[in-house]
Amino acid sequence: PPIDKVLCSTAVRTRKTLTEAGIEAPVDYRDSLYLADPATLLEEIHSVPKEVRTLLVVGHEPTLSTTVLNLVTDHSTDEAQQVTEKFPTSSIAVLTVRGRWDELEPGRAELTDFHIPR
């Protein structure tokens, strides 16, 4: 689906990754994502306006994989196992979330896809 908003770390590497992805969406660059822990990342997601339907987060490891695994309900899927094993640079975890961003809590998302573009 089209991406409505991007949260991106201010690090040079994440900015470059986003530029190379060619995503055409409003971007919020956030210093807080650079050394974020999963709780901080979730706080940033909570701040996303409810009108945003599809959100892209461009950040860092191990925060991204830990956050994905905290949010998903089913860790037995192939996708969850892949996230557990390795979350390489430029990987994309696709989660389906029901409800508003400010209501997102651990165990309330479904991991629908995991893609490593290399």
Side-chain angles (χ1 to χ4, degrees), residues 2-113:
I3 296 169
D4 298 319
K5 184 160 203 70
V6 178
L7 296 181
C8 184
S9 165
T10 55
V12 171
R13 187 171 182 172
T14 53
R15 287 174 174 263
K16 184 177 179 184
T17 297
L18 181 59
T19 298
E20 290 180 9
I23 303 296
E24 300 278 336
V27 180
D28 281 352
Y29 292 101
R30 307 246 175 124
D31 288 329
S32 59
L33 294 180
Y34 183 65
L35 295 174
D37 59 20
T40 301
L41 178 54
L42 189 56
E43 285 176 24
E44 293 294 342
I45 293 170
H46 283 163
S47 72
V48 172
K50 63 183 177 183
E51 298 79 29
V52 171
R53 296 187 47 85
T54 304
L55 174 68
L56 173 65
V57 177
V58 184
H60 307 276
E61 271 299 289
T63 302
L64 288 176
S65 61
T66 302
T67 302
V68 166
L69 293 171
N70 284 345
L71 291 174
V72 300
T73 56
D74 186 357
H75 291 182
S76 67
T77 66
D78 288 341
E79 293 84 4
Q81 292 303 310
Q82 287 179 312
V83 170
T84 300
E85 291 171 15
K86 187 164 172 91
F87 200 104
T89 300
S90 298
S91 297
I92 300 169
V94 180
L95 284 75
T96 299
V97 175
R98 305 223 185 320
R100 298 186 327 235
W101 297 111
D102 63 350
E103 297 173 332
L104 183 58
E105 296 176 355
R108 303 258 323 257
E110 178 184 349
L111 180 59
T112 56
D113 196 10

